[in-house]
PDB file of all heavy atoms in Angstrom:
ATOM      1  N   VAL A   1      68.212  78.809  65.675  1.00  0.00           N
ATOM      2  CA  VAL A   1      69.424  78.022  65.393  1.00  0.00           C
ATOM      3  C   VAL A   1      70.209  77.709  66.649  1.00  0.00           C
ATOM      4  O   VAL A   1      70.778  76.607  66.819  1.00  0.00           O
ATOM      5  CB  VAL A   1      70.323  78.751  64.360  1.00  0.00           C
ATOM      6  CG1 VAL A   1      71.710  78.121  64.205  1.00  0.00           C
ATOM      7  CG2 VAL A   1      69.616  78.818  63.014  1.00  0.00           C
ATOM      8  N   GLN A   2      70.226  78.641  67.569  1.00  0.00           N
ATOM      9  CA  GLN A   2      70.931  78.435  68.854  1.00  0.00           C
ATOM     10  C   GLN A   2      70.377  77.242  69.614  1.00  0.00           C
ATOM     11  O   GLN A   2      71.141  76.506  70.275  1.00  0.00           O
ATOM     12  CB  GLN A   2      70.742  79.711  69.688  1.00  0.00           C
ATOM     13  CG  GLN A   2      71.481  79.728  71.031  1.00  0.00           C
ATOM     14  CD  GLN A   2      71.234  81.054  71.754  1.00  0.00           C
ATOM     15  OE1 GLN A   2      70.664  81.978  71.246  1.00  0.00           O
ATOM     16  NE2 GLN A   2      71.650  81.068  72.971  1.00  0.00           N
ATOM     17  N   VAL A   3      69.085  77.002  69.528  1.00  0.00           N
ATOM     18  CA  VAL A   3      68.467  75.882  70.244  1.00  0.00           C
ATOM     19  C   VAL A   3      68.476  74.582  69.437  1.00  0.00           C
ATOM     20  O   VAL A   3      68.765  73.503  69.945  1.00  0.00           O
ATOM     21  CB  VAL A   3      67.015  76.230  70.696  1.00  0.00           C
ATOM     22  CG1 VAL A   3      66.336  75.020  71.322  1.00  0.00           C
ATOM     23  CG2 VAL A   3      67.005  77.434  71.640  1.00  0.00           C
ATOM     24  N   TYR A   4      68.117  74.697  68.131  1.00  0.00           N
ATOM     25  CA  TYR A   4      67.927  73.485  67.324  1.00  0.00           C
ATOM     26  C   TYR A   4      69.078  73.164  66.337  1.00  0.00           C
ATOM     27  O   TYR A   4      69.046  72.138  65.711  1.00  0.00           O
ATOM     28  CB  TYR A   4      66.616  73.590  66.531  1.00  0.00           C
ATOM     29  CG  TYR A   4      65.412  73.519  67.407  1.00  0.00           C
ATOM     30  CD1 TYR A   4      64.611  74.627  67.598  1.00  0.00           C
ATOM     31  CD2 TYR A   4      65.078  72.338  68.076  1.00  0.00           C
ATOM     32  CE1 TYR A   4      63.499  74.551  68.454  1.00  0.00           C
ATOM     33  CE2 TYR A   4      63.987  72.273  68.893  1.00  0.00           C
ATOM     34  CZ  TYR A   4      63.178  73.395  69.089  1.00  0.00           C
ATOM     35  OH  TYR A   4      62.120  73.364  69.906  1.00  0.00           O
ATOM     36  N   GLY A   5      70.015  74.041  66.248  1.00  0.00           N
ATOM     37  CA  GLY A   5      71.118  73.800  65.291  1.00  0.00           C
ATOM     38  C   GLY A   5      70.883  74.402  63.966  1.00  0.00           C
ATOM     39  O   GLY A   5      69.777  74.908  63.612  1.00  0.00           O
ATOM     40  N   GLU A   6      71.876  74.290  63.115  1.00  0.00           N
ATOM     41  CA  GLU A   6      71.883  74.947  61.796  1.00  0.00           C
ATOM     42  C   GLU A   6      70.755  74.513  60.870  1.00  0.00           C
ATOM     43  O   GLU A   6      70.229  75.250  60.054  1.00  0.00           O
ATOM     44  CB  GLU A   6      73.207  74.736  61.150  1.00  0.00           C
ATOM     45  CG  GLU A   6      73.481  75.594  59.911  1.00  0.00           C
ATOM     46  CD  GLU A   6      73.447  77.099  60.204  1.00  0.00           C
ATOM     47  OE1 GLU A   6      73.950  77.539  61.219  1.00  0.00           O
ATOM     48  OE2 GLU A   6      72.931  77.816  59.328  1.00  0.00           O
ATOM     49  N   ARG A   7      70.296  73.242  61.048  1.00  0.00           N
ATOM     50  CA  ARG A   7      69.247  72.714  60.208  1.00  0.00           C
ATOM     51  C   ARG A   7      67.937  73.537  60.289  1.00  0.00           C
ATOM     52  O   ARG A   7      67.131  73.532  59.388  1.00  0.00           O
ATOM     53  CB  ARG A   7      68.960  71.274  60.506  1.00  0.00           C
ATOM     54  CG  ARG A   7      68.292  71.047  61.874  1.00  0.00           C
ATOM     55  CD  ARG A   7      68.137  69.553  62.197  1.00  0.00           C
ATOM     56  NE  ARG A   7      67.468  69.327  63.414  1.00  0.00           N
ATOM     57  CZ  ARG A   7      68.014  69.451  64.642  1.00  0.00           C
ATOM     58  NH1 ARG A   7      69.272  69.784  64.774  1.00  0.00           N
ATOM     59  NH2 ARG A   7      67.298  69.225  65.723  1.00  0.00           N
ATOM     60  N   ALA A   8      67.764  74.259  61.399  1.00  0.00           N
ATOM     61  CA  ALA A   8      66.522  75.054  61.581  1.00  0.00           C
ATOM     62  C   ALA A   8      66.515  76.345  60.790  1.00  0.00           C
ATOM     63  O   ALA A   8      65.457  76.906  60.565  1.00  0.00           O
ATOM     64  CB  ALA A   8      66.353  75.366  63.091  1.00  0.00           C
ATOM     65  N   ARG A   9      67.650  76.834  60.387  1.00  0.00           N
ATOM     66  CA  ARG A   9      67.741  78.104  59.704  1.00  0.00           C
ATOM     67  C   ARG A   9      66.836  78.233  58.463  1.00  0.00           C
ATOM     68  O   ARG A   9      66.085  79.150  58.277  1.00  0.00           O
ATOM     69  CB  ARG A   9      69.185  78.396  59.324  1.00  0.00           C
ATOM     70  CG  ARG A   9      69.349  79.827  58.644  1.00  0.00           C
ATOM     71  CD  ARG A   9      70.784  80.086  58.269  1.00  0.00           C
ATOM     72  NE  ARG A   9      71.722  79.928  59.349  1.00  0.00           N
ATOM     73  CZ  ARG A   9      71.924  80.811  60.322  1.00  0.00           C
ATOM     74  NH1 ARG A   9      71.238  81.984  60.323  1.00  0.00           N
ATOM     75  NH2 ARG A   9      72.778  80.590  61.308  1.00  0.00           N
ATOM     76  N   ALA A  10      66.941  77.223  57.565  1.00  0.00           N
ATOM     77  CA  ALA A  10      66.194  77.276  56.331  1.00  0.00           C
ATOM     78  C   ALA A  10      64.671  77.173  56.530  1.00  0.00           C
ATOM     79  O   ALA A  10      63.921  77.529  55.632  1.00  0.00           O
ATOM     80  CB  ALA A  10      66.689  76.127  55.430  1.00  0.00           C
ATOM     81  N   MET A  11      64.274  76.667  57.689  1.00  0.00           N
ATOM     82  CA  MET A  11      62.851  76.476  57.904  1.00  0.00           C
ATOM     83  C   MET A  11      62.212  77.651  58.645  1.00  0.00           C
ATOM     84  O   MET A  11      60.961  77.730  58.685  1.00  0.00           O
ATOM     85  CB  MET A  11      62.631  75.217  58.796  1.00  0.00           C
ATOM     86  CG  MET A  11      63.046  73.928  58.078  1.00  0.00           C
ATOM     87  SD  MET A  11      62.720  72.479  59.083  1.00  0.00           S
ATOM     88  CE  MET A  11      64.022  72.607  60.319  1.00  0.00           C
ATOM     89  N   ALA A  12      62.977  78.537  59.201  1.00  0.00           N
ATOM     90  CA  ALA A  12      62.437  79.659  60.046  1.00  0.00           C
ATOM     91  C   ALA A  12      61.672  80.652  59.189  1.00  0.00           C
ATOM     92  O   ALA A  12      62.158  81.173  58.182  1.00  0.00           O
ATOM     93  CB  ALA A  12      63.579  80.335  60.768  1.00  0.00           C
ATOM     94  N   VAL A  13      60.452  80.954  59.611  1.00  0.00           N
ATOM     95  CA  VAL A  13      59.594  81.966  59.006  1.00  0.00           C
ATOM     96  C   VAL A  13      59.359  83.031  60.068  1.00  0.00           C
ATOM     97  O   VAL A  13      59.014  82.701  61.221  1.00  0.00           O
ATOM     98  CB  VAL A  13      58.263  81.385  58.558  1.00  0.00           C
ATOM     99  CG1 VAL A  13      57.313  82.447  58.033  1.00  0.00           C
ATOM    100  CG2 VAL A  13      58.491  80.290  57.472  1.00  0.00           C
ATOM    101  N   VAL A  14      59.524  84.303  59.735  1.00  0.00           N
ATOM    102  CA  VAL A  14      59.281  85.414  60.614  1.00  0.00           C
ATOM    103  C   VAL A  14      58.356  86.397  60.021  1.00  0.00           C
ATOM    104  O   VAL A  14      58.576  86.869  58.897  1.00  0.00           O
ATOM    105  CB  VAL A  14      60.622  86.130  61.021  1.00  0.00           C
ATOM    106  CG1 VAL A  14      60.321  87.282  61.986  1.00  0.00           C
ATOM    107  CG2 VAL A  14      61.593  85.171  61.629  1.00  0.00           C
ATOM    108  N   GLU A  15      57.239  86.684  60.657  1.00  0.00           N
ATOM    109  CA  GLU A  15      56.303  87.707  60.240  1.00  0.00           C
ATOM    110  C   GLU A  15      56.262  88.808  61.288  1.00  0.00           C
ATOM    111  O   GLU A  15      56.177  88.476  62.472  1.00  0.00           O
ATOM    112  CB  GLU A  15      54.881  87.173  60.096  1.00  0.00           C
ATOM    113  CG  GLU A  15      54.664  86.248  58.939  1.00  0.00           C
ATOM    114  CD  GLU A  15      53.203  85.817  58.894  1.00  0.00           C
ATOM    115  OE1 GLU A  15      52.763  85.104  59.780  1.00  0.00           O
ATOM    116  OE2 GLU A  15      52.504  86.274  57.963  1.00  0.00           O
ATOM    117  N   ILE A  16      56.342  90.045  60.853  1.00  0.00           N
ATOM    118  CA  ILE A  16      56.313  91.180  61.819  1.00  0.00           C
ATOM    119  C   ILE A  16      55.053  91.996  61.549  1.00  0.00           C
ATOM    120  O   ILE A  16      54.822  92.428  60.425  1.00  0.00           O
ATOM    121  CB  ILE A  16      57.562  92.052  61.639  1.00  0.00           C
ATOM    122  CG1 ILE A  16      58.814  91.138  61.886  1.00  0.00           C
ATOM    123  CG2 ILE A  16      57.533  93.228  62.552  1.00  0.00           C
ATOM    124  CD1 ILE A  16      60.106  91.861  61.491  1.00  0.00           C
ATOM    125  N   PHE A  17      54.296  92.232  62.596  1.00  0.00           N
ATOM    126  CA  PHE A  17      53.064  93.031  62.513  1.00  0.00           C
ATOM    127  C   PHE A  17      53.200  94.270  63.343  1.00  0.00           C
ATOM    128  O   PHE A  17      53.483  94.166  64.559  1.00  0.00           O
ATOM    129  CB  PHE A  17      51.857  92.219  63.022  1.00  0.00           C
ATOM    130  CG  PHE A  17      51.623  90.937  62.247  1.00  0.00           C
ATOM    131  CD1 PHE A  17      52.197  89.746  62.660  1.00  0.00           C
ATOM    132  CD2 PHE A  17      50.846  90.933  61.089  1.00  0.00           C
ATOM    133  CE1 PHE A  17      51.955  88.530  61.976  1.00  0.00           C
ATOM    134  CE2 PHE A  17      50.635  89.778  60.345  1.00  0.00           C
ATOM    135  CZ  PHE A  17      51.189  88.603  60.808  1.00  0.00           C
ATOM    136  N   GLY A  18      53.070  95.384  62.714  1.00  0.00           N
ATOM    137  CA  GLY A  18      53.136  96.672  63.460  1.00  0.00           C
ATOM    138  C   GLY A  18      51.700  97.062  63.887  1.00  0.00           C
ATOM    139  O   GLY A  18      50.781  97.093  63.069  1.00  0.00           O
ATOM    140  N   VAL A  19      51.566  97.338  65.146  1.00  0.00           N
ATOM    141  CA  VAL A  19      50.244  97.745  65.678  1.00  0.00           C
ATOM    142  C   VAL A  19      50.396  99.177  66.209  1.00  0.00           C
ATOM    143  O   VAL A  19      51.248  99.449  67.061  1.00  0.00           O
ATOM    144  CB  VAL A  19      49.852  96.825  66.889  1.00  0.00           C
ATOM    145  CG1 VAL A  19      48.491  97.240  67.473  1.00  0.00           C
ATOM    146  CG2 VAL A  19      49.810  95.363  66.422  1.00  0.00           C
ATOM    147  N   PRO A  20      49.583 100.091  65.695  1.00  0.00           N
ATOM    148  CA  PRO A  20      49.630 101.453  66.174  1.00  0.00           C
ATOM    149  C   PRO A  20      49.475 101.519  67.688  1.00  0.00           C
ATOM    150  O   PRO A  20      48.623 100.787  68.245  1.00  0.00           O
ATOM    151  CB  PRO A  20      48.543 102.167  65.458  1.00  0.00           C
ATOM    152  CG  PRO A  20      48.313 101.386  64.227  1.00  0.00           C
ATOM    153  CD  PRO A  20      48.565  99.934  64.621  1.00  0.00           C
ATOM    154  N   ARG A  21      50.263 102.344  68.353  1.00  0.00           N
ATOM    155  CA  ARG A  21      50.223 102.406  69.788  1.00  0.00           C
ATOM    156  C   ARG A  21      48.822 102.588  70.389  1.00  0.00           C
ATOM    157  O   ARG A  21      48.489 101.981  71.381  1.00  0.00           O
ATOM    158  CB  ARG A  21      51.139 103.578  70.265  1.00  0.00           C
ATOM    159  CG  ARG A  21      51.461 103.596  71.714  1.00  0.00           C
ATOM    160  CD  ARG A  21      52.496 104.692  72.110  1.00  0.00           C
ATOM    161  NE  ARG A  21      53.760 104.482  71.495  1.00  0.00           N
ATOM    162  CZ  ARG A  21      54.741 103.717  72.021  1.00  0.00           C
ATOM    163  NH1 ARG A  21      54.541 103.081  73.150  1.00  0.00           N
ATOM    164  NH2 ARG A  21      55.882 103.567  71.376  1.00  0.00           N
ATOM    165  N   GLN A  22      48.009 103.414  69.742  1.00  0.00           N
ATOM    166  CA  GLN A  22      46.668 103.631  70.275  1.00  0.00           C
ATOM    167  C   GLN A  22      45.743 102.404  70.094  1.00  0.00           C
ATOM    168  O   GLN A  22      44.663 102.372  70.686  1.00  0.00           O
ATOM    169  CB  GLN A  22      46.010 104.869  69.623  1.00  0.00           C
ATOM    170  CG  GLN A  22      45.655 104.726  68.188  1.00  0.00           C
ATOM    171  CD  GLN A  22      46.774 105.057  67.187  1.00  0.00           C
ATOM    172  OE1 GLN A  22      47.933 105.142  67.593  1.00  0.00           O
ATOM    173  NE2 GLN A  22      46.449 105.198  65.934  1.00  0.00           N
ATOM    174  N   ARG A  23      46.173 101.405  69.385  1.00  0.00           N
ATOM    175  CA  ARG A  23      45.420 100.185  69.215  1.00  0.00           C
ATOM    176  C   ARG A  23      45.931  99.004  70.070  1.00  0.00           C
ATOM    177  O   ARG A  23      45.596  97.891  69.866  1.00  0.00           O
ATOM    178  CB  ARG A  23      45.386  99.714  67.757  1.00  0.00           C
ATOM    179  CG  ARG A  23      44.641 100.685  66.874  1.00  0.00           C
ATOM    180  CD  ARG A  23      44.511 100.168  65.485  1.00  0.00           C
ATOM    181  NE  ARG A  23      44.045 101.233  64.593  1.00  0.00           N
ATOM    182  CZ  ARG A  23      44.104 101.143  63.325  1.00  0.00           C
ATOM    183  NH1 ARG A  23      44.656 100.077  62.723  1.00  0.00           N
ATOM    184  NH2 ARG A  23      43.642 102.105  62.567  1.00  0.00           N
ATOM    185  N   TRP A  24      46.785  99.334  71.041  1.00  0.00           N
ATOM    186  CA  TRP A  24      47.442  98.318  71.877  1.00  0.00           C
ATOM    187  C   TRP A  24      47.161  98.713  73.317  1.00  0.00           C
ATOM    188  O   TRP A  24      47.613  99.779  73.730  1.00  0.00           O
ATOM    189  CB  TRP A  24      48.911  98.318  71.597  1.00  0.00           C
ATOM    190  CG  TRP A  24      49.712  97.178  72.208  1.00  0.00           C
ATOM    191  CD1 TRP A  24      49.666  96.746  73.504  1.00  0.00           C
ATOM    192  CD2 TRP A  24      50.673  96.389  71.544  1.00  0.00           C
ATOM    193  NE1 TRP A  24      50.586  95.734  73.653  1.00  0.00           N
ATOM    194  CE2 TRP A  24      51.202  95.483  72.485  1.00  0.00           C
ATOM    195  CE3 TRP A  24      51.186  96.349  70.262  1.00  0.00           C
ATOM    196  CZ2 TRP A  24      52.172  94.536  72.177  1.00  0.00           C
ATOM    197  CZ3 TRP A  24      52.136  95.427  69.922  1.00  0.00           C
ATOM    198  CH2 TRP A  24      52.645  94.537  70.886  1.00  0.00           C
ATOM    199  N   GLY A  25      46.408  97.920  74.024  1.00  0.00           N
ATOM    200  CA  GLY A  25      46.076  98.252  75.398  1.00  0.00           C
ATOM    201  C   GLY A  25      46.543  97.267  76.413  1.00  0.00           C
ATOM    202  O   GLY A  25      46.647  96.100  76.122  1.00  0.00           O
ATOM    203  N   VAL A  26      46.907  97.784  77.568  1.00  0.00           N
ATOM    204  CA  VAL A  26      47.279  96.935  78.720  1.00  0.00           C
ATOM    205  C   VAL A  26      46.581  97.474  79.956  1.00  0.00           C
ATOM    206  O   VAL A  26      46.572  98.665  80.215  1.00  0.00           O
ATOM    207  CB  VAL A  26      48.779  96.983  78.948  1.00  0.00           C
ATOM    208  CG1 VAL A  26      49.188  96.164  80.184  1.00  0.00           C
ATOM    209  CG2 VAL A  26      49.561  96.449  77.720  1.00  0.00           C
ATOM    210  N   GLY A  27      45.898  96.611  80.664  1.00  0.00           N
ATOM    211  CA  GLY A  27      45.208  97.013  81.894  1.00  0.00           C
ATOM    212  C   GLY A  27      44.066  97.991  81.644  1.00  0.00           C
ATOM    213  O   GLY A  27      43.750  98.778  82.520  1.00  0.00           O
ATOM    214  N   GLY A  28      43.461  97.924  80.502  1.00  0.00           N
ATOM    215  CA  GLY A  28      42.285  98.752  80.202  1.00  0.00           C
ATOM    216  C   GLY A  28      42.664 100.146  79.693  1.00  0.00           C
ATOM    217  O   GLY A  28      41.786 100.990  79.539  1.00  0.00           O
ATOM    218  N   ALA A  29      43.919 100.352  79.350  1.00  0.00           N
ATOM    219  CA  ALA A  29      44.352 101.688  78.855  1.00  0.00           C
ATOM    220  C   ALA A  29      45.358 101.489  77.718  1.00  0.00           C
ATOM    221  O   ALA A  29      46.051 100.436  77.662  1.00  0.00           O
ATOM    222  CB  ALA A  29      45.035 102.495  79.963  1.00  0.00           C
ATOM    223  N   PRO A  30      45.475 102.424  76.804  1.00  0.00           N
ATOM    224  CA  PRO A  30      46.478 102.322  75.772  1.00  0.00           C
ATOM    225  C   PRO A  30      47.854 102.157  76.420  1.00  0.00           C
ATOM    226  O   PRO A  30      48.164 102.717  77.433  1.00  0.00           O
ATOM    227  CB  PRO A  30      46.403 103.682  75.004  1.00  0.00           C
ATOM    228  CG  PRO A  30      44.995 104.118  75.264  1.00  0.00           C
ATOM    229  CD  PRO A  30      44.677 103.661  76.671  1.00  0.00           C
TER     230      PRO A  30
END
């Protein structure tokens, strides 16, 4: 809404995915 204005509010969809820490790696390590 801050960028596109109030008209964007009703269209916004948010999905949140939780990934267990041991299944998330950076640089070849958890």
Side-chain angles (χ1 to χ4, degrees):
V1 169
Q2 184 180 351
V3 175
Y4 291 111
E6 193 59 41
R7 69 185 184 282
R9 182 180 307 282
M11 296 182 284
V13 174
V14 180
E15 289 183 292
I16 301 169
F17 300 93
V19 180
R21 192 173 296 274
Q22 70 273 14
R23 293 187 191 164
W24 190 311
V26 176

